Amino acid sequence: MAQAQQRLSQVQSHLASSETDIPRGRESILRKSPDDIVVTCALRTPLTRGGKGGFKDTAAADLLAHTFKSLISRSKIDPNLVEDISVGNVLSPGAGATEYRAAALVAGFSETTAVKTLNRQCSSGLQACVDIVHAIRCGMIDIGVGAGVESMSTQYGPGAVSEFSELLDSHPEAKNCKVPMGVLSEQMASDRSITRERQDAFAARSFQRAEAAQKAGKFDEEIVPMKVKWVDPKTEEEKEILVDKDDGVRAGMTVEGLGKIKPAFKKDGSIHAGNASQVSDGAAAVLLMKRSTAERLGQSILGKFVCSSVVGVKPLLMGIGPWKAIPVALEKAGISKEEVDVWEINEAFASQCVWCVKELGLDEAK
């Protein structure tokens, strides 16, 4: 009987790897456990303007290789201990599976380190981290890297979207999947009475916060500078430059200044280059493992992964996914929105953020 009970306990512990079994509530989140999945290193390249910035002539795989090298160097992790790498990417053919494996090898990871890529559109990098967390949590691996990379300078354009077949085009809802983001976001803003003034106010505040953070050096620790070859568009002269900061932060941005920019998708529309995300180039990587593993290896612990959620919405409502996903994540974590200290909604247009913040009742100061 004792042996049977012991075996039952072992089976139960194996099954307790899903997020439904994770302790909930603020106290549980702040409590330290050997089985916590933790971040021991997180860094990124600067983010530069697509077609104009410092990385406009740099391949995505090169950005990723530099990021991986920097991750190994800063964390001092033995690269042979990293068992899997997951890379989020949208624009590379095949999500860059072949060249990103090559980038890992160039960076110094072992041939025994597996690499996969995935495309979940704008949340691809986040999903890559989540996939590594789940692999660690269920015992598939002990140490992994979640990453993301994009070279919109070299790979953004019509070729990034496949043509729909007659079958897909014949289905009304399926057909909506190919409506351009800007067009449907403009329509959403109009349907939900999200004025340009509100969008510009949100965008101006975002620029001002980014400018203040950049001047205070708050991004410096997470950024790894990179020397690259860059072609001067005026002289066509190739130079070697050092890219060490984000170049899309507009200094001195105000609501009045944003009000002078012409709409991008509709003559009398509300969305423009100042209240929408820029086209960017850059890469990032996160080293993940259990707390017990980090302590054994002497790794610094930066943070703890708690839970994740993913929820779909109608194709024409693209961009308001956070409105559906945030409540699910809060429920999984067992906390209220009031207990969250900082919110970050990574959507392409201010219109989407403004609506989500309003509908969820979030504190804009956070």
Short mmCIF file of all heavy atoms in Angstrom, two decimals, residues 219-286:
data_model
loop_
_atom_site.label_atom_id
_atom_site.label_comp_id
_atom_site.label_asym_id
_atom_site.label_seq_id
_atom_site.Cartn_x
_atom_site.Cartn_y
_atom_site.Cartn_z
N PHE A 219 17.48 52.39 -20.59
CA PHE A 219 17.54 51.30 -21.56
C PHE A 219 18.95 50.75 -21.73
O PHE A 219 19.14 49.71 -22.37
CB PHE A 219 17.05 51.79 -22.94
CG PHE A 219 15.63 52.27 -22.97
CD1 PHE A 219 15.28 53.43 -23.65
CD2 PHE A 219 14.63 51.57 -22.32
CE1 PHE A 219 13.98 53.88 -23.69
CE2 PHE A 219 13.31 52.01 -22.34
CZ PHE A 219 12.99 53.18 -23.03
N ASP A 220 19.93 51.46 -21.19
CA ASP A 220 21.33 51.12 -21.47
C ASP A 220 21.70 49.70 -21.09
O ASP A 220 22.43 49.01 -21.82
CB ASP A 220 22.26 52.10 -20.74
CG ASP A 220 22.15 53.52 -21.29
OD1 ASP A 220 21.46 53.71 -22.32
OD2 ASP A 220 22.73 54.44 -20.67
N GLU A 221 21.22 49.24 -19.93
CA GLU A 221 21.62 47.93 -19.44
C GLU A 221 21.08 46.80 -20.31
O GLU A 221 21.73 45.76 -20.46
CB GLU A 221 21.16 47.74 -17.99
CG GLU A 221 21.73 46.50 -17.33
CD GLU A 221 21.38 46.39 -15.86
OE1 GLU A 221 20.72 47.32 -15.33
OE2 GLU A 221 21.75 45.38 -15.24
N GLU A 222 19.92 46.99 -20.90
CA GLU A 222 19.32 45.92 -21.70
C GLU A 222 19.80 45.92 -23.15
O GLU A 222 19.60 44.95 -23.88
CB GLU A 222 17.79 46.02 -21.67
CG GLU A 222 17.22 47.23 -22.37
CD GLU A 222 15.74 47.43 -22.12
OE1 GLU A 222 15.32 47.34 -20.95
OE2 GLU A 222 15.00 47.66 -23.09
N ILE A 223 20.45 47.01 -23.56
CA ILE A 223 20.89 47.14 -24.95
C ILE A 223 22.35 46.69 -25.12
O ILE A 223 23.22 47.07 -24.33
CB ILE A 223 20.74 48.59 -25.44
CG1 ILE A 223 19.26 48.95 -25.61
CG2 ILE A 223 21.48 48.81 -26.75
CD1 ILE A 223 19.01 50.39 -26.03
N VAL A 224 22.61 45.90 -26.15
CA VAL A 224 23.99 45.52 -26.50
C VAL A 224 24.34 46.23 -27.81
O VAL A 224 23.75 45.95 -28.86
CB VAL A 224 24.15 43.99 -26.63
CG1 VAL A 224 24.12 43.36 -25.26
CG2 VAL A 224 23.09 43.35 -27.50
N PRO A 225 25.27 47.18 -27.76
CA PRO A 225 25.67 47.90 -28.97
C PRO A 225 26.22 46.95 -30.03
O PRO A 225 26.72 45.87 -29.71
CB PRO A 225 26.77 48.86 -28.46
CG PRO A 225 26.49 49.02 -27.00
CD PRO A 225 25.99 47.67 -26.56
N MET A 226 26.15 47.36 -31.28
CA MET A 226 26.59 46.48 -32.37
C MET A 226 27.22 47.31 -33.49
O MET A 226 26.65 48.30 -33.95
CB MET A 226 25.39 45.69 -32.91
CG MET A 226 25.73 44.71 -34.01
SD MET A 226 24.26 43.76 -34.51
CE MET A 226 24.95 42.71 -35.79
N LYS A 227 28.42 46.91 -33.92
CA LYS A 227 29.06 47.54 -35.06
C LYS A 227 28.57 46.86 -36.35
O LYS A 227 28.57 45.63 -36.44
CB LYS A 227 30.58 47.41 -34.96
CG LYS A 227 31.21 48.33 -33.93
CD LYS A 227 32.73 48.21 -33.96
CE LYS A 227 33.37 49.16 -32.94
NZ LYS A 227 34.85 49.06 -32.97
N VAL A 228 28.14 47.68 -37.30
CA VAL A 228 27.61 47.13 -38.55
C VAL A 228 28.09 47.95 -39.74
O VAL A 228 28.53 49.10 -39.58
CB VAL A 228 26.06 47.12 -38.56
CG1 VAL A 228 25.52 46.21 -37.48
CG2 VAL A 228 25.51 48.53 -38.40
N LYS A 229 27.99 47.37 -40.92
CA LYS A 229 28.25 48.11 -42.15
C LYS A 229 26.97 48.80 -42.57
O LYS A 229 25.89 48.20 -42.56
CB LYS A 229 28.75 47.16 -43.23
CG LYS A 229 30.13 46.60 -42.94
CD LYS A 229 30.60 45.67 -44.04
CE LYS A 229 32.00 45.14 -43.74
NZ LYS A 229 32.48 44.21 -44.80
N TRP A 230 27.09 50.07 -42.95
CA TRP A 230 25.91 50.90 -43.24
C TRP A 230 26.20 51.73 -44.48
O TRP A 230 27.27 52.36 -44.59
CB TRP A 230 25.62 51.80 -42.04
CG TRP A 230 24.42 52.69 -42.16
CD1 TRP A 230 23.12 52.33 -41.95
CD2 TRP A 230 24.42 54.09 -42.49
NE1 TRP A 230 22.29 53.44 -42.13
CE2 TRP A 230 23.07 54.52 -42.46
CE3 TRP A 230 25.41 55.00 -42.80
CZ2 TRP A 230 22.70 55.83 -42.74
CZ3 TRP A 230 25.05 56.33 -43.08
CH2 TRP A 230 23.70 56.73 -43.05
N VAL A 231 25.27 51.72 -45.41
CA VAL A 231 25.43 52.47 -46.65
C VAL A 231 24.72 53.82 -46.53
O VAL A 231 23.51 53.87 -46.29
CB VAL A 231 24.88 51.68 -47.85
CG1 VAL A 231 25.02 52.50 -49.14
CG2 VAL A 231 25.60 50.35 -47.99
N ASP A 232 25.48 54.88 -46.70
CA ASP A 232 24.91 56.23 -46.65
C ASP A 232 24.00 56.42 -47.86
O ASP A 232 24.46 56.33 -49.01
CB ASP A 232 26.05 57.27 -46.68
CG ASP A 232 25.54 58.67 -46.42
OD1 ASP A 232 24.46 59.03 -46.94
OD2 ASP A 232 26.23 59.43 -45.70
N PRO A 233 22.70 56.66 -47.64
CA PRO A 233 21.77 56.78 -48.78
C PRO A 233 22.05 57.98 -49.68
O PRO A 233 21.64 57.99 -50.84
CB PRO A 233 20.40 56.90 -48.09
CG PRO A 233 20.71 57.39 -46.71
CD PRO A 233 22.03 56.81 -46.34
N LYS A 234 22.76 58.97 -49.17
CA LYS A 234 23.04 60.17 -49.98
C LYS A 234 24.27 59.98 -50.85
O LYS A 234 24.29 60.37 -52.02
CB LYS A 234 23.22 61.37 -49.06
CG LYS A 234 21.95 61.77 -48.31
CD LYS A 234 22.19 63.00 -47.45
CE LYS A 234 20.93 63.40 -46.70
NZ LYS A 234 21.16 64.60 -45.82
N THR A 235 25.32 59.39 -50.28
CA THR A 235 26.58 59.25 -51.01
C THR A 235 26.83 57.83 -51.50
O THR A 235 27.74 57.60 -52.30
CB THR A 235 27.76 59.66 -50.10
OG1 THR A 235 27.84 58.72 -49.00
CG2 THR A 235 27.55 61.07 -49.56
N GLU A 236 26.02 56.87 -51.01
CA GLU A 236 26.20 55.43 -51.29
C GLU A 236 27.53 54.90 -50.80
O GLU A 236 28.00 53.85 -51.23
CB GLU A 236 26.04 55.17 -52.81
CG GLU A 236 24.63 55.48 -53.32
CD GLU A 236 24.44 55.05 -54.76
OE1 GLU A 236 25.41 54.61 -55.38
OE2 GLU A 236 23.29 55.13 -55.26
N GLU A 237 28.15 55.64 -49.89
CA GLU A 237 29.41 55.21 -49.30
C GLU A 237 29.13 54.22 -48.16
O GLU A 237 28.25 54.45 -47.33
CB GLU A 237 30.17 56.41 -48.74
CG GLU A 237 31.47 56.05 -48.03
CD GLU A 237 32.09 57.23 -47.32
OE1 GLU A 237 31.51 58.35 -47.37
OE2 GLU A 237 33.15 57.04 -46.68
N GLU A 238 29.86 53.10 -48.15
CA GLU A 238 29.70 52.12 -47.07
C GLU A 238 30.62 52.49 -45.91
O GLU A 238 31.81 52.71 -46.09
CB GLU A 238 30.02 50.71 -47.57
CG GLU A 238 29.77 49.63 -46.52
CD GLU A 238 30.04 48.23 -47.03
OE1 GLU A 238 31.19 47.78 -46.92
OE2 GLU A 238 29.10 47.61 -47.55
N LYS A 239 30.04 52.52 -44.72
CA LYS A 239 30.79 52.87 -43.52
C LYS A 239 30.55 51.82 -42.45
O LYS A 239 29.57 51.08 -42.49
CB LYS A 239 30.33 54.23 -42.96
CG LYS A 239 30.28 55.37 -43.95
CD LYS A 239 29.67 56.60 -43.30
CE LYS A 239 29.57 57.76 -44.27
NZ LYS A 239 28.94 58.96 -43.64
N GLU A 240 31.45 51.77 -41.48
CA GLU A 240 31.20 50.97 -40.29
C GLU A 240 30.75 51.91 -39.19
O GLU A 240 31.42 52.90 -38.89
CB GLU A 240 32.46 50.22 -39.83
CG GLU A 240 32.18 49.31 -38.63
CD GLU A 240 33.39 48.51 -38.19
OE1 GLU A 240 34.28 49.09 -37.56
OE2 GLU A 240 33.43 47.29 -38.48
N ILE A 241 29.59 51.64 -38.61
CA ILE A 241 29.05 52.50 -37.57
C ILE A 241 28.74 51.67 -36.32
O ILE A 241 28.58 50.45 -36.39
CB ILE A 241 27.75 53.22 -38.02
CG1 ILE A 241 26.65 52.19 -38.32
CG2 ILE A 241 28.03 54.09 -39.24
CD1 ILE A 241 25.28 52.82 -38.58
N LEU A 242 28.67 52.34 -35.19
CA LEU A 242 28.28 51.69 -33.94
C LEU A 242 26.84 52.09 -33.63
O LEU A 242 26.53 53.27 -33.49
CB LEU A 242 29.18 52.13 -32.78
CG LEU A 242 28.81 51.57 -31.40
CD1 LEU A 242 29.04 50.07 -31.37
CD2 LEU A 242 29.60 52.27 -30.30
N VAL A 243 25.97 51.10 -33.55
CA VAL A 243 24.57 51.35 -33.21
C VAL A 243 24.41 51.02 -31.73
O VAL A 243 24.57 49.87 -31.32
CB VAL A 243 23.62 50.49 -34.06
CG1 VAL A 243 22.16 50.83 -33.74
CG2 VAL A 243 23.90 50.69 -35.54
N ASP A 244 24.12 52.03 -30.91
CA ASP A 244 24.07 51.81 -29.47
C ASP A 244 22.82 52.34 -28.78
O ASP A 244 22.71 52.28 -27.56
CB ASP A 244 25.31 52.39 -28.79
CG ASP A 244 25.45 53.90 -29.02
OD1 ASP A 244 24.57 54.49 -29.68
OD2 ASP A 244 26.44 54.48 -28.54
N LYS A 245 21.87 52.85 -29.55
CA LYS A 245 20.62 53.30 -28.94
C LYS A 245 19.46 53.24 -29.93
O LYS A 245 19.68 53.24 -31.15
CB LYS A 245 20.76 54.71 -28.37
CG LYS A 245 20.95 55.79 -29.41
CD LYS A 245 21.01 57.16 -28.73
CE LYS A 245 21.15 58.28 -29.76
NZ LYS A 245 21.17 59.61 -29.11
N ASP A 246 18.26 53.19 -29.42
CA ASP A 246 17.07 53.20 -30.27
C ASP A 246 17.00 54.53 -31.01
O ASP A 246 17.15 55.59 -30.40
CB ASP A 246 15.80 53.02 -29.41
CG ASP A 246 15.83 51.75 -28.58
OD1 ASP A 246 16.41 50.76 -29.03
OD2 ASP A 246 15.25 51.77 -27.46
N ASP A 247 16.74 54.48 -32.31
CA ASP A 247 16.72 55.74 -33.06
C ASP A 247 15.31 56.20 -33.44
O ASP A 247 15.15 57.14 -34.21
CB ASP A 247 17.62 55.65 -34.30
CG ASP A 247 17.11 54.66 -35.36
OD1 ASP A 247 15.96 54.20 -35.25
OD2 ASP A 247 17.87 54.36 -36.31
N GLY A 248 14.30 55.54 -32.89
CA GLY A 248 12.93 55.93 -33.22
C GLY A 248 12.25 56.80 -32.17
O GLY A 248 11.08 57.16 -32.33
N VAL A 249 12.98 57.14 -31.12
CA VAL A 249 12.41 57.99 -30.06
C VAL A 249 12.48 59.45 -30.52
O VAL A 249 13.57 60.00 -30.71
CB VAL A 249 13.19 57.82 -28.73
CG1 VAL A 249 12.59 58.71 -27.67
CG2 VAL A 249 13.15 56.36 -28.29
N ARG A 250 11.34 60.05 -30.70
CA ARG A 250 11.29 61.44 -31.19
C ARG A 250 11.32 62.41 -30.03
O ARG A 250 10.39 62.46 -29.22
CB ARG A 250 10.04 61.67 -32.03
CG ARG A 250 9.90 60.68 -33.19
CD ARG A 250 8.72 61.05 -34.06
NE ARG A 250 8.45 60.02 -35.06
CZ ARG A 250 7.63 60.20 -36.10
NH1 ARG A 250 7.00 61.35 -36.25
NH2 ARG A 250 7.43 59.23 -36.97
N ALA A 251 12.38 63.20 -29.96
CA ALA A 251 12.53 64.15 -28.86
C ALA A 251 11.56 65.33 -29.01
O ALA A 251 11.27 65.77 -30.13
CB ALA A 251 13.96 64.67 -28.82
N GLY A 252 11.03 65.79 -27.89
CA GLY A 252 10.18 66.97 -27.88
C GLY A 252 8.82 66.79 -28.52
O GLY A 252 8.19 67.77 -28.95
N MET A 253 8.35 65.56 -28.60
CA MET A 253 7.07 65.30 -29.25
C MET A 253 5.91 65.81 -28.39
O MET A 253 5.87 65.61 -27.17
CB MET A 253 6.90 63.81 -29.52
CG MET A 253 5.66 63.46 -30.34
SD MET A 253 5.59 64.34 -31.92
CE MET A 253 6.99 63.61 -32.79
N THR A 254 4.96 66.48 -29.02
CA THR A 254 3.78 67.02 -28.34
C THR A 254 2.52 66.65 -29.12
O THR A 254 2.59 66.24 -30.29
CB THR A 254 3.85 68.56 -28.24
OG1 THR A 254 3.85 69.11 -29.58
CG2 THR A 254 5.12 68.99 -27.51
N VAL A 255 1.39 66.84 -28.47
CA VAL A 255 0.11 66.59 -29.14
C VAL A 255 -0.03 67.53 -30.33
O VAL A 255 -0.51 67.14 -31.40
CB VAL A 255 -1.05 66.79 -28.15
CG1 VAL A 255 -2.39 66.70 -28.88
CG2 VAL A 255 -1.01 65.76 -27.03
N GLU A 256 0.42 68.75 -30.15
CA GLU A 256 0.31 69.75 -31.23
C GLU A 256 1.16 69.32 -32.43
O GLU A 256 0.73 69.45 -33.59
CB GLU A 256 0.77 71.13 -30.73
CG GLU A 256 -0.14 71.77 -29.69
CD GLU A 256 -0.05 71.11 -28.32
OE1 GLU A 256 1.01 70.49 -28.02
OE2 GLU A 256 -1.04 71.21 -27.57
N GLY A 257 2.36 68.81 -32.15
CA GLY A 257 3.22 68.36 -33.23
C GLY A 257 2.63 67.18 -33.97
O GLY A 257 2.68 67.10 -35.21
N LEU A 258 2.07 66.25 -33.23
CA LEU A 258 1.45 65.07 -33.85
C LEU A 258 0.24 65.47 -34.69
O LEU A 258 -0.09 64.83 -35.69
CB LEU A 258 1.02 64.07 -32.78
CG LEU A 258 2.16 63.35 -32.05
CD1 LEU A 258 1.61 62.56 -30.85
CD2 LEU A 258 2.89 62.41 -32.99
N GLY A 259 -0.42 66.54 -34.29
CA GLY A 259 -1.62 66.99 -34.99
C GLY A 259 -1.36 67.48 -36.40
O GLY A 259 -2.28 67.63 -37.20
N LYS A 260 -0.10 67.73 -36.72
CA LYS A 260 0.26 68.23 -38.05
C LYS A 260 0.56 67.11 -39.07
O LYS A 260 0.74 67.38 -40.25
CB LYS A 260 1.49 69.14 -37.93
CG LYS A 260 1.25 70.36 -37.05
CD LYS A 260 2.55 71.15 -36.88
CE LYS A 260 2.33 72.35 -35.94
NZ LYS A 260 3.60 73.09 -35.72
N ILE A 261 0.61 65.88 -38.58
CA ILE A 261 0.96 64.77 -39.47
C ILE A 261 -0.28 64.28 -40.23
O ILE A 261 -1.35 64.12 -39.66
CB ILE A 261 1.56 63.60 -38.65
CG1 ILE A 261 2.79 64.08 -37.87
CG2 ILE A 261 1.95 62.45 -39.57
CD1 ILE A 261 3.38 63.03 -36.96
N LYS A 262 -0.09 64.02 -41.52
CA LYS A 262 -1.21 63.59 -42.36
C LYS A 262 -1.60 62.15 -42.06
O LYS A 262 -0.74 61.31 -41.77
CB LYS A 262 -0.83 63.70 -43.84
CG LYS A 262 -0.62 65.13 -44.32
CD LYS A 262 -0.28 65.13 -45.81
CE LYS A 262 -0.06 66.55 -46.31
NZ LYS A 262 0.29 66.55 -47.76
N PRO A 263 -2.92 61.83 -42.14
CA PRO A 263 -3.38 60.44 -41.96
C PRO A 263 -2.72 59.51 -42.97
O PRO A 263 -2.42 59.92 -44.10
CB PRO A 263 -4.89 60.54 -42.18
CG PRO A 263 -5.22 61.97 -41.89
CD PRO A 263 -4.04 62.76 -42.37
N ALA A 264 -2.52 58.27 -42.58
CA ALA A 264 -1.79 57.32 -43.43
C ALA A 264 -2.69 56.41 -44.27
O ALA A 264 -2.30 55.99 -45.36
CB ALA A 264 -0.88 56.46 -42.56
N PHE A 265 -3.88 56.10 -43.77
CA PHE A 265 -4.68 55.07 -44.43
C PHE A 265 -6.01 55.56 -45.00
O PHE A 265 -6.66 54.85 -45.76
CB PHE A 265 -4.97 53.93 -43.43
CG PHE A 265 -3.72 53.34 -42.85
CD1 PHE A 265 -3.33 53.64 -41.54
CD2 PHE A 265 -2.91 52.50 -43.60
CE1 PHE A 265 -2.18 53.11 -41.00
CE2 PHE A 265 -1.75 51.97 -43.07
CZ PHE A 265 -1.37 52.27 -41.77
N LYS A 266 -6.38 56.77 -44.63
CA LYS A 266 -7.67 57.31 -45.06
C LYS A 266 -7.54 58.84 -45.06
O LYS A 266 -6.97 59.40 -44.13
CB LYS A 266 -8.76 56.84 -44.09
CG LYS A 266 -10.18 57.11 -44.51
CD LYS A 266 -11.13 56.53 -43.46
CE LYS A 266 -12.58 56.85 -43.78
NZ LYS A 266 -13.49 56.35 -42.70
N LYS A 267 -8.07 59.49 -46.09
CA LYS A 267 -7.89 60.94 -46.22
C LYS A 267 -8.32 61.70 -44.98
O LYS A 267 -7.65 62.63 -44.53
CB LYS A 267 -8.67 61.43 -47.44
CG LYS A 267 -8.39 62.89 -47.78
CD LYS A 267 -9.09 63.29 -49.07
CE LYS A 267 -8.77 64.75 -49.40
NZ LYS A 267 -9.43 65.19 -50.66
N ASP A 268 -9.45 61.31 -44.41
CA ASP A 268 -9.95 61.99 -43.21
C ASP A 268 -9.80 61.09 -41.98
O ASP A 268 -10.55 61.20 -41.02
CB ASP A 268 -11.41 62.40 -43.39
CG ASP A 268 -12.31 61.19 -43.66
OD1 ASP A 268 -11.78 60.11 -43.99
OD2 ASP A 268 -13.55 61.33 -43.53
N GLY A 269 -8.83 60.18 -42.03
CA GLY A 269 -8.64 59.22 -40.94
C GLY A 269 -7.94 59.79 -39.72
O GLY A 269 -7.56 60.97 -39.69
N SER A 270 -7.74 58.93 -38.73
CA SER A 270 -7.15 59.37 -37.46
C SER A 270 -5.79 58.73 -37.18
O SER A 270 -5.09 59.13 -36.26
CB SER A 270 -8.10 59.04 -36.31
OG SER A 270 -8.31 57.63 -36.22
N ILE A 271 -5.40 57.75 -37.98
CA ILE A 271 -4.13 57.04 -37.74
C ILE A 271 -3.05 57.55 -38.68
O ILE A 271 -3.28 57.71 -39.88
CB ILE A 271 -4.32 55.52 -37.92
CG1 ILE A 271 -5.31 54.98 -36.88
CG2 ILE A 271 -2.99 54.78 -37.80
CD1 ILE A 271 -5.66 53.52 -37.06
N HIS A 272 -1.88 57.82 -38.12
CA HIS A 272 -0.78 58.37 -38.91
C HIS A 272 0.55 57.86 -38.35
O HIS A 272 0.58 57.09 -37.38
CB HIS A 272 -0.82 59.90 -38.89
CG HIS A 272 -0.84 60.50 -37.52
ND1 HIS A 272 0.29 60.65 -36.76
CD2 HIS A 272 -1.88 60.96 -36.76
CE1 HIS A 272 -0.03 61.20 -35.59
NE2 HIS A 272 -1.34 61.39 -35.56
N ALA A 273 1.65 58.30 -38.95
CA ALA A 273 2.97 57.79 -38.58
C ALA A 273 3.35 58.11 -37.13
O ALA A 273 4.17 57.41 -36.54
CB ALA A 273 4.03 58.38 -39.52
N GLY A 274 2.75 59.13 -36.56
CA GLY A 274 3.10 59.51 -35.20
C GLY A 274 2.36 58.77 -34.11
O GLY A 274 2.83 58.70 -32.97
N ASN A 275 1.18 58.20 -34.41
CA ASN A 275 0.44 57.46 -33.39
C ASN A 275 0.32 55.98 -33.74
O ASN A 275 -0.58 55.27 -33.29
CB ASN A 275 -0.94 58.07 -33.11
CG ASN A 275 -1.87 58.06 -34.31
OD1 ASN A 275 -1.73 57.26 -35.23
ND2 ASN A 275 -2.84 58.97 -34.31
N ALA A 276 1.26 55.51 -34.58
CA ALA A 276 1.37 54.10 -34.93
C ALA A 276 2.83 53.68 -34.77
O ALA A 276 3.73 54.52 -34.80
CB ALA A 276 0.91 53.86 -36.36
N SER A 277 3.06 52.39 -34.61
CA SER A 277 4.44 51.92 -34.41
C SER A 277 5.24 52.07 -35.70
O SER A 277 4.70 51.98 -36.79
CB SER A 277 4.44 50.46 -33.96
OG SER A 277 3.88 49.65 -34.97
N GLN A 278 6.54 52.31 -35.55
CA GLN A 278 7.41 52.42 -36.70
C GLN A 278 7.74 51.03 -37.26
O GLN A 278 7.52 50.01 -36.61
CB GLN A 278 8.70 53.12 -36.31
CG GLN A 278 9.59 52.27 -35.39
CD GLN A 278 10.89 52.95 -35.03
OE1 GLN A 278 10.96 54.17 -34.98
NE2 GLN A 278 11.94 52.19 -34.79
N VAL A 279 8.26 51.01 -38.48
CA VAL A 279 8.81 49.79 -39.05
C VAL A 279 10.22 49.66 -38.48
O VAL A 279 11.02 50.58 -38.57
CB VAL A 279 8.86 49.89 -40.59
CG1 VAL A 279 9.55 48.68 -41.19
CG2 VAL A 279 7.44 50.01 -41.15
N SER A 280 10.52 48.50 -37.84
CA SER A 280 11.75 48.39 -37.05
C SER A 280 12.62 47.20 -37.42
O SER A 280 12.15 46.21 -37.99
CB SER A 280 11.41 48.27 -35.56
OG SER A 280 10.75 49.42 -35.09
N ASP A 281 13.90 47.32 -37.06
CA ASP A 281 14.86 46.22 -37.15
C ASP A 281 15.46 46.01 -35.76
O ASP A 281 15.78 46.98 -35.06
CB ASP A 281 16.01 46.55 -38.11
CG ASP A 281 15.53 46.92 -39.51
OD1 ASP A 281 14.53 46.33 -39.96
OD2 ASP A 281 16.15 47.80 -40.13
N GLY A 282 15.65 44.74 -35.37
CA GLY A 282 16.26 44.48 -34.07
C GLY A 282 16.09 43.03 -33.64
O GLY A 282 15.42 42.24 -34.31
N ALA A 283 16.73 42.69 -32.52
CA ALA A 283 16.65 41.32 -31.99
C ALA A 283 16.74 41.37 -30.47
O ALA A 283 17.26 42.33 -29.89
CB ALA A 283 17.78 40.47 -32.55
N ALA A 284 16.21 40.32 -29.82
CA ALA A 284 16.25 40.22 -28.36
C ALA A 284 16.32 38.75 -27.96
O ALA A 284 15.92 37.87 -28.73
CB ALA A 284 15.01 40.87 -27.74
N ALA A 285 16.84 38.49 -26.76
CA ALA A 285 16.94 37.11 -26.27
C ALA A 285 16.83 37.07 -24.75
O ALA A 285 17.26 38.00 -24.06
CB ALA A 285 18.26 36.47 -26.72
N VAL A 286 16.24 35.98 -24.24
CA VAL A 286 16.01 35.79 -22.81
C VAL A 286 16.47 34.39 -22.41
O VAL A 286 16.10 33.40 -23.04
CB VAL A 286 14.51 35.95 -22.48
CG1 VAL A 286 14.25 35.69 -21.00
CG2 VAL A 286 14.01 37.34 -22.86
#
